[in-house]
Amino acid sequence: MSTESVQDRKLKYDAMRAELLDAETELKLAYAWRDNKDKAALDRLITAYMRLAISMAAKFKRYGAPMNDLIQEAGLGLMKAADKFDPDRGLRFSTYAVWWIRASIQDYVMRNWSAVRTGSTTSQKALFFNMRRVRARLEREITEDGDVVNREELYRLISAEIGVPVRDVAMMDGRLSSSDFSLNAMQAHDEDGREWIELIEDNGLRADQHFEIEHDLAQLREWIMVALDVLTEREQLIVSARRLSPTPRTLESLGNELGLSKERVRQLEVVAFSKMRASLEAQSPEVEIFLQ
């Protein structure tokens, strides 16, 4: 017997031994938790209705999830229900908890059913858990009447019955009828044993393009260094701080450092760029756009 099976049996056994709460006791426990955060009351309330959570979790075993995980998610839903339950509304806790338990389990199933997220909207949930059943019944009714099943018409009927858009029906049908495919799987009939991922086009730069870019950048840096040599020390400081720094400085901060007004710094910057432009045009006219 597997470890998981033993755990399942123990959980079910403990849940079946839990007390059955009458409405009055349930209400007192709910008030104690809501008003006083009485953890003992919460534990008693959760334990009493764990059998309900386990029962609901068992209904989702057909989706392939481990029973232990389903029970855990059901328990989380039960705890959320207890945390949000308002005893003043006159509703039995079990009735309220059902919705939270089911929602928690459904979210878990949809998250783990496929590597590609199936969806989490109300429409997608309704389709995921009801589409196959509704589709099978509609197809049976159509064929019994001697008609041919038309996909578009079938989508329209499913849409009307479940109350979701037709486009959502078509999308979910595609997801449910396909399975995850590993890009590392070997291509069939390929003698070289290549994987499917090898067929995906690489949108990155080719090696020759990388080389060209690095070469052009190196050339540009050389031209800029030559152009900077024609500037005075103060002009070099302004150009470097204003245009060659990852965090450009303001005219005001440079003016404070050099003892100049912002306007005077701006004028020196213009003069410096004019000198650099002339130098760059002399070296290579096409890089003049760098200073624009």
Side-chain angles (χ1 to χ4, degrees):
M1 182 180 296
S2 67
T3 302
E4 182 178 3
S5 178
V6 171
Q7 293 174 342
D8 290 347
R9 288 176 177 272
K10 186 178 186 307
L11 282 170
K12 293 176 182 178
Y13 177 74
D14 291 342
M16 293 304 296
R17 293 181 61 192
E19 64 177 321
L20 294 174
L21 301 179
D22 55 42
E24 183 179 355
T25 303
E26 178 186 291
L27 195 61
K28 289 180 179 179
L29 294 174
Y31 276 124
W33 168 244
R34 190 197 68 176
D35 299 339
N36 304 314
K37 295 303 177 185
D38 186 338
K39 292 185 178 180
L42 174 63
D43 182 66
R44 188 177 171 188
L45 191 64
I46 294 297
T47 302
Y49 286 104
M50 198 60 200
R51 62 163 60 85
L52 172 64
I54 293 175
S55 175
M56 294 186 66
K59 296 178 181 179
F60 291 84
K61 289 178 62 177
R62 64 181 182 275
Y63 292 101
M67 188 60 185
N68 271 347
D69 291 347
L70 292 173
I71 292 175
Q72 182 177 15
E73 292 298 322
L76 290 174
L78 184 60
M79 294 183 67
K80 289 180 181 178
D83 191 53
K84 295 180 178 297
F85 181 62
D86 183 1
D88 291 330
R89 301 185 64 178
L91 190 69
R92 284 299 300 264
F93 176 71
S94 57
T95 303
Y96 181 78
V98 163
W99 298 99
W100 283 97
I101 295 171
R102 180 183 294 115
S104 183
I105 298 173
Q106 288 180 341
D107 285 344
Y108 169 79
V109 170
M110 293 187 73
R111 286 197 310 270
N112 294 274
W113 181 77
S114 170
V116 179
R117 187 167 177 80
T118 306
S120 58
T121 66
T122 302
S123 172
Q124 291 165 337
K125 284 184 179 180
L127 283 167
F128 183 86
F129 291 103
N130 297 290
M131 183 169 173
R132 285 174 172 165
R133 174 180 53 80
V134 172
R135 177 172 186 161
R137 178 175 56 78
L138 290 173
E139 288 179 337
R140 184 172 61 253
E141 292 175 355
I142 292 172
T143 54
E144 286 177 353
D145 292 337
D147 297 326
V148 177
V149 177
N150 177 276
R151 177 178 295 181
E152 285 70 25
E153 178 63 16
L154 183 60
Y155 285 170
R156 189 188 65 78
L157 292 173
I158 295 173
S159 169
E161 177 149 342
I162 300 180
V164 297
V166 175
R167 65 177 181 277
D168 287 356
V169 176
M171 181 175 64
M172 185 59 69
D173 185 42
R175 289 294 301 119
L176 294 177
S177 61
S178 61
S179 59
D180 294 337
F181 182 78
S182 173
L183 291 175
N184 295 117
M186 295 296 180
Q187 300 174 40
H189 311 300
D190 187 89
E191 296 180 356
D192 297 328
R194 292 179 299 177
E195 299 177 350
W196 283 103
I197 197 171
E198 296 180 44
L199 296 181
I200 299 178
E201 182 179 356
D202 185 1
N203 294 322
L205 295 174
R206 301 190 307 272
D208 60 324
Q209 291 174 320
H210 276 292
F211 177 79
E212 290 178 3
I213 291 174
E214 290 298 325
H215 177 271
D216 291 344
L217 288 175
Q219 182 65 74
L220 182 59
R221 284 192 291 267
E222 182 180 337
W223 286 333
I224 291 175
M225 294 304 297
V226 173
L228 283 171
D229 284 340
V230 305
L231 306 181
T232 66
E233 184 177 345
R234 185 168 61 177
E235 289 170 344
Q236 288 181 6
L237 172 63
I238 293 173
V239 170
S240 297
R242 293 280 292 160
R243 298 302 178 94
L244 302 180
S245 172
T247 55
R249 294 180 60 182
T250 64
L251 294 172
E252 184 176 7
S253 68
L254 284 170
N256 292 334
E257 179 180 338
L258 299 172
L260 303 171
S261 66
K262 291 194 299 182
E263 178 58 25
R264 182 53 182 158
V265 174
R266 188 192 64 79
Q267 292 173 355
L268 290 172
E269 183 181 19
V270 171
V271 171
F273 263 67
S274 295
K275 291 181 180 179
M276 291 186 69
R277 181 177 290 109
S279 175
L280 288 168
E281 288 177 341
Q283 298 178 75
S284 183
E286 64 267 21
V287 300
E288 189 272 346
I289 193 174
F290 174 77
L291 295 175
Q292 294 182 353

